[in-house]
Each structure stands twice: as structure tokens, then as C-alpha cells.
Amino acid sequence: MNRLLQIVGMRVIVKNIGLHLSGLIQSSGLVLLLTGALFLFSESAVAQEGIKGKLNDFADNAATKKSSEKEQKEVEKLSTELKTAKAQIDSAKAEKQVIDSIFRAEQEIGGVATNNEAKVIDTLAFEERFFSVKKKAPSNSKKEDDWRKKYLFTHTNVYKKVHELDSTKQVFGWHPFWMGTAYKSYNFSLLSTIAYFSYELDPATGGYKSIHDWKTTALIDSAKRYNCDVLLSVTNFGRANNAAFLANQSAQATFINTLISLLKERDADGVNIDFEQIPGSSRAAFNNFIIDLSSSLRSVRKDYKITLAIPAIDFDNVYDIPQLNQYIDTYVVMGYEFYGSNSTVAGPVAPLGSGNIWWQYNLESAVNEYLTLGIPKSKLLLGLPYYGAEWETYDLRFPSKVKEFIRYPMFRDIRKNHYNSGCCEDEVSKSKFYVYRDKNNNYRQIWYEDSVSLGKKYDWVIENDLGGVGIWALGYDNGYTELWELLASKFALSDKEAIAVAKTRSRFSFRRYLSLAFRVLNNPYTLIRNPRPLFGIFGAIFGLSMGGFFLLYRYGHRLKRVFKLLIKSGITLLILLGVALIFIALQYMGLKEVSYLLGGFVIGVIIFLLFSHRFISEKNLP
């Protein structure tokens, strides 16, 4: 109806302009036209009186200045037509009030949306809704344990079986900082990648507004024990923020340097870029930023991963896929918010298909669009929601028009409050829904995903040979195990397959230890954060040392002088290496740790010399 009124008003204005444009261009009547237009669009009586006064003043001045009869006629004619236009608009307003009354009456009686109403959704509303999901994160700076108390995380019902993931598929999950200690219930063997959310970018400087618990969380160490890659997710929301950052090369350099430092400090594996609402005018700048990011990170460590979160629709034609493919390891399509907080119709958050019921955009069309643009299937992950959406509606049937949006409940809340109440599945969207009356006798609809609906979408991913799935967000299912069991059934190897794979691997892989050595050289602090490799190294050195002591003790008298010289040289080299390690440690450890290292080194040298002195000492022959 608003559009109808706009069209009526515009047609009146256009008509007036068409009738008088040629004459007014050559006379001062153009001022009258502009003044009249202001009169038409003014809602204030005071403003209208002011405009009338200006018309009268102009007319008086024209008379005083002996304006021509033609100009006077134009004034009179324009005034008449302005009155006519105002009458038409008043009539349209009255018509709108009548129609609105009828509409409200219809809503009270019915409220079921027609197929066309459900299918025609404003793309701008979808874009606004889509980009607001992660932006509405809690803003307070609680610590992990505070979030545990707030959300009452539990770790009593946990799926603990260790699995081997199918190497051809990825399972990517975001851990939002407000999920606190929920990671203690994660089955990291079922995750190929976990992204800590988030480094909140300051677009003006490139630094961070907050990184929350990145420097201290035990999530990273827990994930590493199961060979799960850990990424730091970097967020920047809004067109103005993204335009400002992508135009500022100094801020980008600061960001990259800060990011590298944070990744090295926690021995992380890369970054997840989550820039939302990038303006189309920044397309080239975004390409350059990704290229710079890639070259900078991989000059430090070649296997750093760069992943990119992308919207279900490239609203502003930002992503130059052929260029980005050379630098991006994985794209995660954020496949949710097709219906949500500002929808006029209640519907599935993540519909696989649309049929004749839902809006034409869905998960299938989103994936196909990006494949057409050139993203390889193996690099494309489909992100799916572990949450639902709830509305107050005019009807229990669907599609139903919305009275009011209520909330986005996490899976754990839906599972707890409605799972045993009976629910239904929409065959078209492959999503679940539940309808009921609340305590105030209002109609409610909840649309969500569970193990059944997600299972069908996982099957679709596998059948279409995509790279895998993404999860927004881990922890939303805390206290329940079925979604972990679903991941195991869809993406993990069977027990027999896992055993066969394990037999082909060597625990003492040369490549594995070489990779570890390079990582330690790049960041010695790695061994402090994750000391398990350190224990292995010390164990190997201890074993070799004991073997060396035994050989010296048993066969030392048989060693020739050249071997004694080699042993002495080796001891000297070890001492120099130990001193070098101590100086390196000074940069990464506190005084206490360095003291322990130095003390242990000195004691070790003394013990070694005491045991070996008699065998390697030079004696003067008579």
C-alpha cells in the first residue's frame, strides 16, 4: 500500500512538472514549482502555512515589481493545481486508512500468507537480517567461567568416543567466546577445524577491540590433542567499517602483524576472515588485502590456512572468486537467516529447497551460485545453524504471517522445552517446526534443525561432493549428544576403516617430526603451551644418553683416541647448544622457567662429566 501511495503522489508531481517545465525554465516560476513540491510532501500544518506565506510574498513582490500578466497567470494556475494535488493525496490517505482497517480485520480472522506472500521477500530485509546474526553477540567482557555460570553449561552428558574423520570431508565449527567452557563437552576428534570467535577488528587501526580469552583458553590445547586445526576468526561488520579498513593500508599492516603474533603465541593454524557487508566499491581492495594476508602469513609458516566466511548471496558482487581461489583454502557459506527476525512470514531458517511455498533463495541455490562463480567443490563448505527462530503468528498453519518476532533459541533450549511435545517436518525445506499456544493464548511457531533435518542436509552435501559442513555454533547443543553422534555417522570412518588407516601410519614419521621441529624453531613458546612433544624429545635424549653411558662404562677402555676426541667435541657442542637455548628461552619464558632450564642443564652436564671423565681424560704415558 505504501508503494501505491508513493506511485500516486509521484504521478501527480510528474504531471505537474510535465505541464509546466517548458514555461518555468524560462521564468521564475521554477521557484514556485519547488515550493509547491515542498508543500505536497509537508506533513506539518505550520510548515504548510510557511510555504503559503512564501507564495504570497512572492506574489506580492511580483506585483510590486510589475511582473507580467503571464507570470501572474502561471502563479494562479500553479496554485490551483497544487490544491488539486493536495486533495488527491488527502483522498489517497483516506483510502489507505480504509484498506489498513480491512487488512487488520483480515489478519484477525485469518493470517495465513499466500504462496506469493511467502515467496516474495525483500532482499534488503534478508541482507539486514543475515548480517545481524553474529553482530548481535553479547557485548560484555565476561571470562569463560562467567559464561559457564550464565548459561549453566554441563559436562555430564558427553559423547566421548574417539573417531577418525573421513579425510575427503571437513567439519568446521565456530566457537563463540560466549560459549565459555562449553568446549569441555566437544568431541574434537569429530572436528577438522575449529575457529575461535573472535578477534574484533578496530577498522581505524587494524588492532583489536577485544580478543576475549584467546590468549588463555584451554580450548586450543584440547583441540591440538586430537589434530584439530585451530583458527582465529576475525570479524568486521558494516559497510562503513569495511570500507574504512580496506582503504587503509597502514591499518591492514598492523592487523597482519598483530594476527601473526597471536597465531604464533598459541601455535594456531590460521585465520577465518568474517567481514560482513563489504561494499561493492571495495571489491579490488578486498582482493589486495587477501593477497597481502596470504603472502605475509605463509612467509612465516607455509601451512597457515586462510578461510573465508561468505553470505548465502553475494549481495554487492564483492567476491572475485577466480582471484580469491589462489589464496583461500576454504569457503564457508553461511547458510541461515532465510527467515528470521524481520521476516513478515514465519519459515525455515535454513531451507534446502523452496518448492511452491518458500522464497526462491535457499541452500541449494546459494551453493549452486558459488559453484557457478568458480569455487571448487572441495573448497566449499555449507554452514548450518544449531539454532532456530520463534515468532508469534496469526495462524498455526504455515506459511503464516508474523505478529511479532520472539527470539533465536539455541538447539539445547528447543531440545529441552519442546522436543517431546510433538513436531513436524516440512518436506520441501527439510526443516523441523513446532506450533503451539503460549500462556497468553497467542499462536507461536518455532522453526529449527535437529538430527533428522541436519542429517538430510548432510546427505545432500555428501551426494553433491562438497568439501564438508560448517556449524554455527558449537556449544549451542550443550548437554545433548545426538548432534555429535550425527557427525560421527556421516563424516567419520567406521571402526574397521579407522583401524586400517592407523596401520598405514607410522607413529615415528620423519615428516611429522620435521614439521614439529620447524614449528618449534618458528615459535619455541609452542613447547610451553603444548609440552607433550617436549616429553617425547626429552625421552629420546634420555634413552640415547643412558645407552651412551652404558657403552662408555662397558667399553670405554677400548675406545681409540679419535673417538674420545669426538665425544669431547660432542659435549662441547651440546654445551653451546644449551647456552643458545637458554638465550632463546629468555624471549619466551619467565625468569622461573629459565632458572629451571639453566639449573637442569648445569646438573646434567655435571652428571655426564662425572660418569664419563675417566673414559675420556687424557693420560700422559711414561
Side-chain angles (χ1 to χ4, degrees), residues 370-389:
Y370 280 117
L371 292 177
T372 301
L373 290 173
I375 297 180
K377 285 186 174 183
S378 61
K379 286 189 174 187
L380 189 63
L381 310 186
L382 178 59
L384 294 167
Y386 273 18
Y387 70 91

Side-chain angles (χ1 to χ4, degrees), residues 12 15-17 19-20 40 75-88:
V12 171
K15 179 180 177 182
N16 290 330
I17 292 172
L19 289 171
H20 301 287
L40 282 176
V75 171
E76 293 173 1
K77 187 175 182 181
L78 179 60
S79 298
T80 302
E81 291 189 356
L82 287 174
K83 290 178 182 178
T84 303
K86 185 177 184 300
Q88 290 177 341

Side-chain angles (χ1 to χ4, degrees), residues 72 117 170 416 464 504 548 618:
Q72 291 290 345
E117 287 174 310
Q170 295 186 57
K416 178 181 179 181
N464 286 273
T504 63
E618 297 286 350

